[in-house]
Amino acid sequence: MRLPAPPKSQPVRTEQIILFRVSGQLFAVSSASVKEVRSVDTLSGAAKEIAQAGVRKVRHIVQRGEHSLYVVNGAMHFGLPPFAPALVFVLRRTRTALLVDGIEKMTTMTRLQALPQAFCNDERDWYRGVTAIDQTVVPVVKPEGFLTPDELFLLDSSLQPKDSAHSDIPTSDSAGAPPSVFEGGGLESAFTDFPSDTAPLEVTSEASVDSEPGAAPLSFKGAGLDPTSTTIDPASFPQ
């Protein structure tokens, strides 16, 4: 009598993510949603200042062929203290270039959990969910969540022919931003052409994260979720 073959185990679905920091806080983004990662000095010659845009977190625009990218200050978007950015994420399928501190590492996410219901304000539009990496709960950002349709409308409306000329980046602003956000340190472009064909993980609700309504991203840390398995490719991030 022939015994039935044991059922084949289904492979665990994974998603490659980039762990990055804004004002020292840790975030994650799908690597498939990042088209390029560049140092700030590579954009300093192409950035143009936007006057009276009405969106405080955006002060500059970069023209890329026929498309314009709005440069979002990550600290102002998340309500974090000012910082001196080192890198710019050019996000795929958006009109956003995001200023960040730097990249922590690339790793693999195996589980994406829904945001807890306590998070009921703007952060529900900022994040896809949360994941656990090395015993730390990390919010996974939505690439399209950095600029709303209303904000894009305001920014587009603010563009005038006079903005086509290059202007000097001011040394400070009322929000306490550091001098010249595109001041570079000689860094080379970190990544180009991330893969865009990976399927995103589905959001699950297997565990909850306790937090106060409107809590800052720091409240995700140490929330008691089991860590995911991670893999690191050292050749994939800057030396």
Side-chain angles (χ1 to χ4, degrees):
M1 180 177 179
R2 182 176 297 178
L3 296 175
K8 294 183 178 179
S9 59
Q10 294 294 327
V12 177
R13 287 188 59 191
T14 62
E15 183 178 344
Q16 287 293 118
I17 57 174
I18 303 170
L19 296 181
F20 65 97
R21 292 191 180 272
V22 174
S23 293
Q25 299 300 315
L26 191 63
F27 300 88
V29 64
S30 171
S31 63
S33 65
V34 179
K35 183 177 182 181
E36 299 176 36
V37 179
R38 305 183 68 86
S39 60
V40 291
D41 56 340
T42 63
L43 294 183
S44 59
K48 306 169 189 177
E49 187 177 357
I50 305 175
Q52 304 297 325
V55 182
R56 293 177 62 248
K57 62 186 175 183
V58 177
R59 295 183 56 206
H60 298 89
I61 186 173
V62 175
Q63 198 69 27
R64 301 293 297 270
E66 298 180 354
H67 304 284
S68 55
L69 298 176
Y70 293 112
V71 182
V72 174
N73 185 304
M76 294 186 70
H77 173 77
F78 291 116
L80 296 171
F83 73 107
L87 298 176
V88 181
F89 285 4
V90 178
L91 300 179
R92 202 183 301 273
R93 302 186 187 92
T94 73
R95 299 173 61 190
T96 301
L98 179 66
L99 293 171
V100 305
D101 294 11
I103 291 175
E104 188 82 2
K105 64 181 178 181
M106 291 188 67
T107 188
T108 302
M109 174 174 66
T110 58
R111 185 173 63 179
L112 178 65
Q113 295 176 192
L115 286 176
Q117 292 302 313
F119 288 81
C120 55
N121 297 313
D122 291 341
E123 62 268 21
R124 300 207 72 85
D125 296 322
W126 298 346
Y127 307 130
R128 293 169 53 198
V130 297
T131 191
I133 304 293
D134 299 335
Q135 304 292 337
T136 300
V137 180
V138 182
V140 182
V141 301
K142 291 181 182 178
E144 67 277 13
F146 290 100
L147 289 172
T148 66
D150 288 343
E151 289 172 333
L152 285 170
F153 177 80
L154 283 174
L155 290 166
D156 289 340
S157 300
S158 70
L159 296 181
Q160 301 295 332
K162 64 181 180 180
D163 293 327
S164 61
H166 288 262
S167 60
D168 294 333
I169 300 175
T171 57
S172 63
D173 61 14
S174 59
S180 185
V181 295
F182 286 106
E183 234 174 58
L187 298 175
E188 297 297 327
S189 176
F191 300 89
T192 57
D193 280 340
F194 277 101
S196 59
D197 55 353
T198 56
L201 291 179
E202 294 181 357
V203 179
T204 63
S205 55
E206 297 172 5
S208 61
V209 181
D210 294 329
S211 59
E212 296 297 324
L218 182 60
S219 64
F220 284 109
K221 194 171 183 179
L225 296 184
D226 294 332
T228 62
S229 59
T230 60
T231 58
I232 306 171
D233 181 6
S236 300
F237 52 88
Q239 300 297 318

